[in-house]
Amino acid sequence: MSDTVHRKLERSAIGFVIAIIAAASVGGIVEIAPLFTIDETVEQAPDMRVYTPLELAGRNIYVREGCYACHSQMIRTLRDEVERYGPFSLAVESQYDRPMLWGSKRTGPDLARIGGKYSDFWHVAHLNNPRDVVPESNMPAYAWLARTPLKTDDLSDHLAAQRALGVPYTDEMIENAARDAYGQATPDTDYAAGVTERYGEATQVSAFDGVTTKVTEMDALVAYLQVLGRLTDAAYRETAAAEEAPASQE
Amino acid sequence: MIAKLTSSERQNALVLAVIVALAGAAMAILGRSDVLGVHGLIVMIFAGVVIYLIMASFYEPEPTEDREASYYDDPIKAGIVLAMVWAVFGMFMGVWVAAQLAWPDLAFDGAWSSFGRLRPTHTTGVIFGFGGNALIATSFHVVQRTSRARLAGQVSPWFVLLGFNLFCVLAVSGYLLGVTQSKEYAEAEWYADLWLVIVWVTYFILYIATIARRKEPHIYVANWYFMAFILVVAILHIVNNLALPVSWGHAKSYTIWPGVQDAMVQWWYGHNAVAFFLTAGFLGMLYYYLPVRAQRPIFSYRLSILSFWGITFFYMWAGSHHLHYTALPHWVQTLGMTFSVMLLVPSWASAGNALLTLNGAWHRVRDDATLRFMMAAAVFYGLSTFEGSFMAIRPVNALSHYTDWTVGHVHAGALGWVALITFGSLYTLVPVLWKRERMYSAALIEVHFWLAIAGTLIYVFAMWNSGIIQGLMWRTYTEEGALAYSFVDSLVAMYPYYIARAFGGLLFLIGAVVACYNIWMTVRAVPAAAPRATDIPATTVAVPGE
């Protein structure tokens, strides 16, 4: 770049502003726009279901408490990660996730496939006081979740907002959101039947925190943890082999 | 605060504050069954305090002097005080959350005090509260001196400063209440984000209008960086925070970006928040205060051009290195890695330019702790940008990602570069602004310097050790081909380093408290300097580097 050209540019505030915008825009446009147009970016998973209202409420609690600051939900394509946590994560598995919770730090383990690994009872005990079940843990205790009733009256609004952004919730799901949240945490009631009807037989209906008289935030969070990695089985089908960690070829 | 405003400007300020109070009232009513209502009350209280301050001296005599004959320094002084308040708050929260990792009971069973809620109060407190206020204050100072023109507004600088702090208050109080988007470094919810857009556009217009009034033909290099900082942060902030609120009465919103696209947008934002908030803005500081303090012109004009455009262009490609080996398409990862490595050239050009500027002034670096702050900042900038490029290489990232190494890297930059250049700049700026002969105590600056260096080194070495140990334990296999360590094994190995890290952070925090005392005493107890005839607009002030 010749000095004289730049000397001229320095004399024009507007010129400089335009030059900065031009230089700074290229990278983002080239890297982000094609993610919406290249079909291979997100795999196909026709069997994938959406979060139930209770699971979505649990996810929002996970977000609210900042769990993502210590737990990732993204198993990388490395051999040791696949052997520790399960098949590596696919883009399609977070296609309904707003925001994504891939995380950036593992002070605790990855949670992308935690669903079904432990019992509801274990999760409740662990959330009440992690050191009761993992003595070495440095995770905060969340005992108060079991004492906090879940706010369900606005769950329809949440589902409607999700649908406006492209998540395939039906009118029936939106209408019955509060009822389904209650039903998923109270097995053997009429409400429970509606949940499996709308979200599939595989949906876990359970008294997550062991108490069926009221739905708490503990119910919602455990319901969410138990569905992690289980909305689709796409990751267990015909995926490529994991990579060796580059520096540790045994 | 408003003694230098005319009565019509006081009316404008009052109208603005009332509008903000009404917006707060609307939030309080619409969000009465949600935490949004609490934020409405906070907005009303904030606006109420501003209204009180305006009314308290509303009928004072108007200024009689020609305001264009002096620089507008009052908002800068307020910005410095706010920056130091946020520094102590943000660093204290940092020490607290660091201690929680070693002693989890320090959350005291509270909902608001658990690690996940406190951590963003630390990051927002130091990045936006401390860094943002310091950037606004120094940019107002630098643009006036290098343009030899007064700020192009009387009310708008206050609007920018106070509006920005309202954003910070909403963000931090929101995290404690459980209001967050969970997007790292962009956690604040939709209404706070909208408010920041208004504040930020005002900031941009004010800055550009001031530059348009300059009495110098050329725009000085520090202003290039401040302009890039303001402009690109606006773009990043708007794109990353596009979201749909659940309703007008809900604090909660859902981002328009799903899954993998959200990941890319988030780290395009996240990495460039580092680039344009924590790098470009502070390079603006460095390009003004370092040559002023060293009394040497910038070493090379050409290196300045090379590094400025290199940083502006390359950084925007680098964000995807946060997503190596993830479900993000491979080609994006490769682009991110490539540009991250290339970034080393403009980064080291900047660091080298700063250090070579000190040639001929090394005796000052030895004797003057303020200048030494800036020298050390340039060294840490060089080191952490090298480390950053290195960690962006895929196989290195395989080891470092998800570990404390990343945390250590960030703090090498945040403590070693951002905070040190800020303290060096503030120690240069405070006596000038308050028209004092010097800082209250050179010895306390020296004490602060060594506390900051010791704190940074203890922190970074602790995190290097823990991060690399963690990464290696996760991938170690036994001879039989099984994973050698459980996750908990790796956590147990971290405890000594978590304690060391909290101690390093504590030293750094003590240093910031010492700085507050020193600044306070400078304003209170140091004799006034003889008036500097040169520190007025449109005279022949020496502009460094030109």
Side-chain angles (χ1 to χ4, degrees):
Chain A
M1 190 183 311
S2 101
D3 282 5
T4 51
V5 173
H6 204 270
R7 279 275 167 200
K8 267 189 198 151
L9 185 62
E10 284 165 35
R11 298 174 74 102
S12 160
I14 297 302
F16 216 95
V17 165
I18 293 169
I20 288 172
I21 293 175
S25 300
V26 186
I29 292 170
V30 171
E31 292 187 353
I32 295 169
L35 297 181
F36 289 94
T37 57
I38 299 175
D39 289 339
E40 294 89 64
T41 303
V42 181
E43 307 82 359
Q44 300 293 320
D47 65 324
M48 184 164 170
R49 78 157 167 89
V50 294
Y51 293 109
T52 65
L54 189 67
E55 290 156 6
L56 183 68
R59 189 170 202 274
N60 288 341
I61 292 166
Y62 185 101
V63 165
R64 184 187 73 195
E65 299 310 325
C67 305
Y68 60 87
C70 294
H71 294 284
S72 58
Q73 290 185 23
M74 175 45 63
I75 301 164
R76 296 183 292 171
T77 56
L78 297 165
R79 181 185 150 201
D80 59 290
E81 299 218 349
V82 170
E83 290 182 4
R84 189 180 297 278
Y85 299 115
F88 57 78
S89 300
L90 300 182
V92 70
E93 293 181 276
S94 44
Q95 66 171 337
Y96 300 139
D97 288 4
R98 298 166 192 272
M100 59 86 203
L101 294 171
W102 293 8
S104 59
K105 175 72 174 60
R106 284 182 188 150
T107 303
D110 187 276
L111 299 181
R113 309 214 178 279
I114 197 75
K117 259 194 186 168
Y118 300 88
S119 65
D120 297 342
F121 184 78
W122 185 92
H123 278 299
V124 173
H126 182 248
L127 285 164
N128 263 320
N129 181 20
R131 279 154 293 286
D132 287 347
V133 280
V134 184
E136 306 88 344
S137 171
N138 63 350
M139 184 172 129
Y142 290 95
W144 51 274
L145 288 176
R147 300 192 296 266
T148 312
L150 181 71
K151 189 169 150 65
T152 54
D153 56 352
D154 61 352
L155 278 171
S156 291
D157 294 339
H158 284 263
L159 263 60
Q162 291 261 318
R163 182 166 71 177
L165 292 167
V167 182
Y169 284 109
T170 63
D171 288 340
E172 213 193 343
M173 289 171 171
I174 292 174
E175 204 175 301
N176 291 294
R179 202 187 310 253
D180 286 348
Y182 179 76
Q184 196 179 352
T186 50
D188 308 322
T189 61
D190 293 346
Y191 297 124
V195 179
T196 42
E197 191 184 307
R198 277 181 278 279
Y199 295 90
E201 286 300 324
T203 307
Q204 185 185 350
V205 175
S206 162
F208 292 97
D209 64 357
V211 181
T212 51
T213 46
K214 60 176 183 177
V215 182
T216 63
E217 295 196 337
M218 182 69 85
D219 285 313
L221 184 57
V222 174
Y224 172 62
L225 292 172
Q226 291 292 30
V227 83
L228 278 176
R230 299 167 87 193
L231 292 175
T232 170
D233 61 1
Y236 294 86
R237 283 183 267 128
E238 55 194 292
T239 48
E243 295 169 54
E244 271 314 309
S248 63
Q249 320 281 352
E250 259 87 3
Chain B
M1 181 171 116
I2 62 164
K4 298 220 181 104
L5 300 183
T6 63
S7 78
S8 71
E9 285 160 359
R10 288 173 198 179
Q11 282 168 18
N12 291 344
L14 187 62
V15 169
L16 275 174
V18 169
I19 292 173
V20 173
L22 290 175
M27 285 165 65
I29 294 165
L30 286 169
R32 60 193 174 282
S33 59
D34 191 80
V35 275
L36 182 66
V38 181
H39 265 168
L41 287 178
I42 290 176
V43 172
M44 286 167 73
I45 292 168
F46 192 98
V49 171
V50 174
I51 290 171
Y52 171 78
L53 289 173
I54 296 171
M55 289 310 292
S57 45
F58 196 76
Y59 297 109
E60 300 282 303
E62 293 189 40
T64 49
E65 79 275 14
D66 175 17
R67 291 183 301 187
E68 294 304 312
S70 64
Y71 290 125
Y72 197 10
D73 286 348
D74 291 353
I76 306 174
K77 290 179 183 173
I80 291 173
V81 172
L82 287 165
M84 293 310 295
V85 170
W86 279 108
V88 172
F89 168 80
M91 290 173 195
F92 170 77
M93 294 315 252
V95 175
W96 186 8
V97 290
Q100 280 193 7
L101 288 182
W103 301 286
D105 289 336
L106 287 175
F108 310 113
D109 275 337
W112 64 275
S113 57
S114 63
F115 180 90
R117 290 202 193 180
L118 292 190
R119 189 248 184 186
T121 70
H122 162 60
T123 53
T124 300
V126 290
I127 297 173
F128 297 106
F130 170 51
N133 276 301
L135 285 170
I136 291 173
T138 54
S139 71
F140 283 171
H141 180 252
V142 170
V143 73
Q144 294 188 90
R145 267 59 178 188
T146 57
S147 302
R148 295 192 297 159
R150 186 180 165 95
L151 281 177
Q154 305 299 332
V155 178
S156 54
W158 286 109
F159 176 78
V160 171
L161 184 70
L162 296 177
F164 180 75
N165 280 278
L166 175 57
F167 166 80
C168 294
V169 167
L170 287 178
V172 166
S173 61
Y175 311 147
L176 299 176
L177 294 162
V179 178
T180 172
Q181 295 192 97
S182 83
K183 281 173 162 275
E184 282 185 75
Y185 319 115
E187 291 93 344
E189 269 292 356
W190 60 276
Y191 48 94
D193 289 336
L194 277 177
W195 171 246
L196 185 60
V197 171
I198 297 170
V199 170
W200 211 255
V201 169
T202 312
Y203 185 20
F204 172 68
I205 294 170
L206 171 64
Y207 204 85
I208 283 294
T210 306
I211 285 184
R213 308 171 83 185
R214 71 190 181 280
K215 314 288 190 323
E216 284 283 327
H218 295 279
I219 303 171
Y220 179 60
V221 52
N223 294 314
W224 310 349
Y225 282 103
F226 282 124
M227 278 197 290
F229 147 64
I230 298 169
L231 269 171
V232 182
V233 166
I235 297 171
L236 296 166
H237 173 74
I238 292 169
V239 173
N240 189 40
N241 286 304
L242 290 172
L244 181 68
V246 171
S247 80
W248 293 113
H250 274 88
K252 170 87 185 160
S253 69
Y254 291 106
T255 176
I256 70 157
W257 309 105
V260 60
Q261 290 96 350
D262 185 37
M264 182 61 225
V265 171
Q266 161 58 28
W267 288 111
W268 167 80
Y269 167 90
H271 196 72
N272 288 299
V274 175
F276 288 90
F277 210 98
L278 297 179
T279 303
F282 291 89
L283 281 170
M285 259 187 220
L286 178 131
Y287 269 104
Y288 182 80
Y289 295 103
L290 179 100
V292 163
R293 190 75 187 188
Q295 298 171 36
R296 306 273 310 161
I298 286 291
F299 169 73
S300 164
Y301 168 69
R302 288 189 174 182
L303 270 183
S304 306
I305 296 175
L306 171 85
S307 51
F308 177 76
W309 290 107
I311 284 172
T312 306
F313 182 71
F314 287 166
Y315 250 115
M316 297 299 266
W317 298 76
S320 51
H321 69 224
H322 288 252
L323 299 164
H324 280 323
Y325 301 96
T326 68
L328 182 76
H330 202 283
W331 64 268
V332 197
Q333 300 179 21
T334 307
L335 272 179
M337 172 174 87
T338 311
F339 278 87
S340 302
V341 173
M342 292 198 290
L343 252 180
L344 190 59
V345 174
S347 300
W348 273 27
S350 284
N353 211 2
L355 292 174
L356 288 167
T357 299
L358 294 171
N359 263 350
W362 288 105
H363 60 288
R364 286 207 190 89
V365 176
R366 185 191 62 211
D367 298 336
D368 177 8
T370 300
L371 188 56
R372 212 178 316 124
F373 262 107
M374 297 195 244
M375 186 277 292
V379 171
F380 272 107
Y381 177 66
L383 290 175
S384 53
T385 49
F386 173 77
E387 190 186 25
S389 293
F390 182 61
M391 291 167 77
I393 299 169
R394 265 169 70 86
V396 181
N397 196 267
L399 179 77
S400 74
H401 194 55
Y402 292 136
T403 73
D404 286 318
W405 188 357
T406 311
V407 182
H409 165 63
V410 170
H411 282 83
L415 302 175
W417 154 239
V418 171
L420 292 193
I421 190 67
T422 305
F423 289 133
S425 300
L426 293 187
Y427 284 137
T428 309
L429 178 55
V430 164
V432 175
L433 271 189
W434 273 276
K435 304 197 167 39
R436 297 289 183 268
E437 282 174 356
R438 52 177 172 77
M439 285 299 293
Y440 169 68
S441 165
L444 286 181
I445 300 179
E446 195 75 39
V447 168
H448 181 194
F449 177 79
W450 289 110
L451 280 170
I453 294 292
T456 306
L457 290 178
I458 291 171
Y459 191 112
V460 172
F461 273 96
M463 292 293 94
W464 276 339
N465 275 293
S466 67
I468 291 169
I469 290 172
Q470 211 171 17
L472 290 175
M473 286 177 84
W474 290 346
R475 61 158 64 166
T476 301
Y477 282 87
T478 60
E479 279 181 16
E480 292 78 35
L483 289 168
Y485 300 102
S486 71
F487 190 90
V488 168
D489 291 335
S490 73
L491 173 64
V492 170
M494 296 304 103
Y495 277 102
Y497 302 108
Y498 285 165
I499 294 169
R501 180 256 294 268
F503 178 68
L506 179 65
L507 292 185
F508 205 89
L509 168 65
I510 294 171
V513 173
V514 171
C516 288
Y517 175 75
N518 207 353
I519 291 173
W520 175 257
M521 291 305 287
T522 304
V523 176
R524 292 300 298 268
V526 175
R532 281 166 233 232
T534 51
D535 198 31
I536 50 172
T539 55
T540 49
V541 185
V543 176
E546 288 287 288

